[in-house]
Amino acid sequence: MVRLLRRTGTRSTRPSGPRAPRAHRFRRAPASEGRQAEHHRQEERAPDAGPPTPGPLAGIWSALTGRSVAGQVFVLQVVIVLLLVLSAVVALLLQVRHDTTQEARHRSLAVAEAFANAPGTRDALSSPDPTAVLQPRAEAARKEAKVDFVVVMNTDGIRYTHPKPDRIGKKFVGTIEPALAGGTVIEEINGTLGRLVQAVVPVKAPDGKVVGLVSAGITTEHVGGAADRQLPLVLAAAAAGLLLATAGTALVSRRLLRQTHGLGPREMTRMYEHHDAVLHSVREGVIIVGGDGRLLLANDEAQRLLDLPSDAERRHVSELGLPPDTAALLASGRIATDEVHLVEDRLLAVNQRPTDLEGGPAGHVATLRDSTELRALSGKAEEARERLTLLYDAGVGVGTSLDVTRTAQELARLAVPRFADFATVDLFEEVLHGQEPEAGNELRRTAFSGIREDPPLYPVGDRIRFVATTPQAHSLGRGRAALEPRLGEAPGWLAQDFERTAQVVEYGIHSLITVPVRAGGVVLGAANFWRSQKPEPFDEEELALAEELVARAAVSIDNARRYTREHGMAVTLQRSLLPRKLPEQDALDIASRYLPAQAGVGGDWFDVLPLSGARVALVVGDVVGHGLHAAATMGRLRTAVHNFSALDLPPDELLGLLDELVGRIDQDEATEGGSAPVTGATCLYAIYDPASRRCAVARAGHPPPALIRPDGRVEFLDVPAGPPLGLGGLPFETAELELAEGSRLVLYTDGLVEDREHDIDAGLELLRTALAEAGPSPEDTCRAVLDARLPHRPSDDIALLVARTRTLTAGHVAQWEVPMDPAAVAEVRAAVTRQLAQWGLEELTFTTELILSELVTNAIRYGSSPIHVRVLRDRSLICEVFDAVSTSPHLRYATMTDEGGRGLFLVAQLAERWGTRYTPTGKVIWAEQPLS
């Protein structure tokens, strides 16, 4: 109910239907509100109101159109003026007509009597030709008297005179009987000259006998002229009246517009209706108190919240039965913001502001809000917000890695303590290894989180098989969440393990929600949420929240499971393709490391390949991409390097063959898949000879090798950078250098020196620093490099190979020059026998003599000088024969009748391995024998 300022009488009852308008008094709006009201008024202008006049004439136009009070007054004034003008004109016309008629009667009578009594008129009537005498006189009299006609007639009414001669001799139109009787006739008729007034008088003889008649007449349009003079004055007065009415209306309209801020009657009515509807519809109490502390207005909500009496209007607020502090606040008028007051059983938040700002009336307005209901609503809203936040955090905080265990732990940590006091995640054993789970198998407790660390729940790592009556078993079997509000009264759950479940209940855990971790149609395990501190058990709403929470986490757990399976397959494939152990050799002391990327295995590889002549080949390569495809391509390239290295090719030629192989792989993939080639690889190939301490290196798009000299200096070798494998068209170059004994050659892939934080140059400098601080052994070097350079989560594979050089001393090498003479073969056999005796290898004398005899004989017979022999004592006894011809011998089988052709066959049978390699000046035929 609203009680208004200066309203008398009892308070009216508000109907249940539409509210009746009330004459509320509102505070005058400031200028900004006036502009908003004007804008609102223009937007809601009635369609028939016409276009608004812009600028200051808008109010005047509104007034003149009659939509405002001033306009209605103006229209009334115009109507009154027009009525007065019309009345004046009618009265003027009537008066003029009356005056004109009277003047015409008097003038026509005077002229007729004067002419009838004029001398000679009576005599002319008795003359033989009255017309000849009277016509000139009558016309002269007519003109002199300014009448329209003077007619003289006989007693029969026959005209003797007339202004129109053709009418003479004709019957007079009019009444003559009274004149014949001696009287006078004055009448208004429509004569031949139009509407006229005429008088007929007799012409009498001396004896009184009527001897003739005289008639004079005048048309009414030739009489007067007063109307023509007075009518403009009347119209001018009317125009002046209209002008004054317009000016007055404009002044009144401007003042009304200023007072109403541009609002017309309809806008004012609509605004009042809106204000009244809003005032009684809001869920806040509104009261207005005057400057004297008396209540002026209270809306329905304020009546309800304050429980005001029915006669509260015009009473002082201290008399309304309010609490003292609330009454004091309302009476003081001080500014208050969300000040809480207890009124009966309600907590009201009171806001109070004065109304006399910007020239408003004295007093203040207060709004009342029931914070009791708001507190309950805000509690529900806060609870809903917290649940939405929990689900959002689950979306961004669970599944940050592709690790099943870590993802389950993230779910448990997220739920505690925001949703539960303890949380456990149990997954099938197969899920942890990336496999599809089988129903009925045991679960493993994978994750735990709680407000305390000592609950009597199964610890992480335990294998659990839930009995059929437990909520976990029901949840896993049906694929739906289960709620156990009171664990102490749940025999099915207690049957799992009577001793442990009793400890759980005694510990204070009293409520459980278990939700299956389900991805698609596969159940991966169960998530359990336990409550102990909050006395209320879990409810259905919390069950739905737990289902949503676990559903989001289940996707991440399943992704991690799938990744674990695929990653395990790729790692298994890759490790099967990498060397399981490094081959035994004495030329280099080698240590290696391989670390797959976190995002998936790649195509990095390394290899150590023993070659002929105690030489060793070092290989490091990198296939572009990750996954099974990269690992398979790496295996193909590693196999190809093994095969090509058996040909004893120099590094640049071997890389050329690899380049052709990668190009063919690209072509095959493009043909089969119909897409562009995707294979790309880099490779570095080095051959170290311990006898000469020479190292030949070539690279195809690979980072340069690092060299740690015996004194600890670190440098990156200047090896020409060839194009990556698969591009084709450009040759590769080999760089040769001599390495001091104890030098460490460091080969690596780009995953060690490149990452997102810096480029390769910065990575090389960091690697240089790590190598300079590394220990002397290859193992120490690998450890120091990975400790200093390994990223926390490498995005690319890392392959590292460190080789410390050794040399074959002069005591392990024997060599002789051989002349082009078959007799020199015996000298070679004798020298080798002596050397083997020095080395203590007498048991190998026979086979060695036979092998060298055959190889030297072939060199003398089919080769050219210079020829020399070298024997190396390493892990095996190596015999080498050098000559200057590049033609390679071929093993063939001689028939029974052949005299020769059995030399290489014998060598192949006696030696463990043999072969041919080419040098820039010729070739080397070599054979190896085991020492034990």
Side-chain angles (χ1 to χ4, degrees), residues 206-219:
D207 57 359
K209 181 182 179 181
V210 177
V211 295
L213 301 174
V214 177
S215 175
I218 184 172
T219 58

Side-chain angles (χ1 to χ4, degrees), residues 843-863:
E843 69 276 6
L844 298 178
T845 301
F846 175 76
T847 55
T848 305
E849 287 182 351
L850 182 57
I851 290 173
L852 283 179
S853 295
E854 294 297 332
L855 295 181
V856 171
T857 299
N858 281 341
I860 293 174
R861 179 177 298 177
Y862 302 109

Side-chain angles (χ1 to χ4, degrees), residues 100 403 554 799 807:
T100 301
D403 182 81
T807 60

Side-chain angles (χ1 to χ4, degrees), residues 427-651:
L427 300 177
F428 288 104
E429 189 73 25
E430 295 85 356
V431 174
L432 300 176
H433 301 290
Q435 305 301 320
E436 291 278 351
E438 295 183 6
N441 289 357
E442 292 182 338
L443 290 89
R444 183 181 294 274
R445 178 134 297 174
T446 308
F448 165 80
S449 181
I451 57 175
R452 293 186 297 272
E453 298 296 331
D454 58 344
L457 301 171
Y458 289 110
V460 173
D462 275 18
R463 294 177 179 270
I464 308 172
R465 184 182 294 276
F466 292 103
V467 299
T469 60
T470 60
Q472 291 89 340
H474 292 163
S475 177
L476 292 172
R478 296 179 299 177
R480 296 196 300 270
L483 169 63
E484 196 62 68
R486 295 175 179 83
L487 293 178
E489 304 173 4
W493 175 78
L494 294 172
Q496 171 67 28
D497 184 343
F498 289 104
E499 181 179 356
R500 184 179 294 275
T501 53
Q503 294 174 356
V504 171
V505 174
E506 184 179 357
Y507 188 81
I509 298 176
H510 60 83
S511 188
L512 165 67
I513 289 178
T514 180
V515 183
V517 180
R518 183 173 181 175
V522 180
V523 177
L524 308 177
N528 309 294
F529 304 99
W530 314 80
R531 174 170 288 177
S532 63
Q533 285 191 336
K534 191 175 180 180
E536 296 83 4
F538 287 116
D539 56 24
E540 293 295 332
E541 291 186 1
E542 291 169 318
L543 178 66
L545 175 61
E547 288 182 312
E548 181 68 20
L549 179 64
V550 176
R552 298 194 180 197
V555 176
S556 299
I557 293 176
D558 189 56
N559 289 340
R561 178 188 67 84
R562 295 174 184 272
Y563 172 79
T564 300
R565 180 184 60 190
E566 296 179 2
H567 186 265
M569 294 172 56
V571 169
T572 301
L573 173 63
Q574 187 180 44
R575 292 196 180 279
S576 67
L577 297 175
L578 290 173
R580 297 183 180 273
K581 64 177 183 177
L582 298 179
E584 296 180 356
Q585 44 80 34
D586 293 332
L588 297 168
D589 183 12
I590 298 177
S592 63
R593 295 288 189 278
Y594 173 78
L595 298 174
Q598 291 291 332
V601 296
D604 292 14
W605 91 94
F606 64 90
D607 221 334
V608 178
L609 306 173
L611 302 179
S612 63
R615 297 171 306 133
V616 177
L618 303 176
V619 188
V620 173
D622 183 6
V623 175
V624 175
H626 296 85
L628 295 176
H629 176 75
T633 304
M634 176 271 290
R636 299 171 70 177
L637 294 183
R638 180 170 178 258
T639 302
V641 172
H642 270 267
N643 295 332
F644 294 152
S645 66
L647 301 177
D648 270 330
L649 297 174

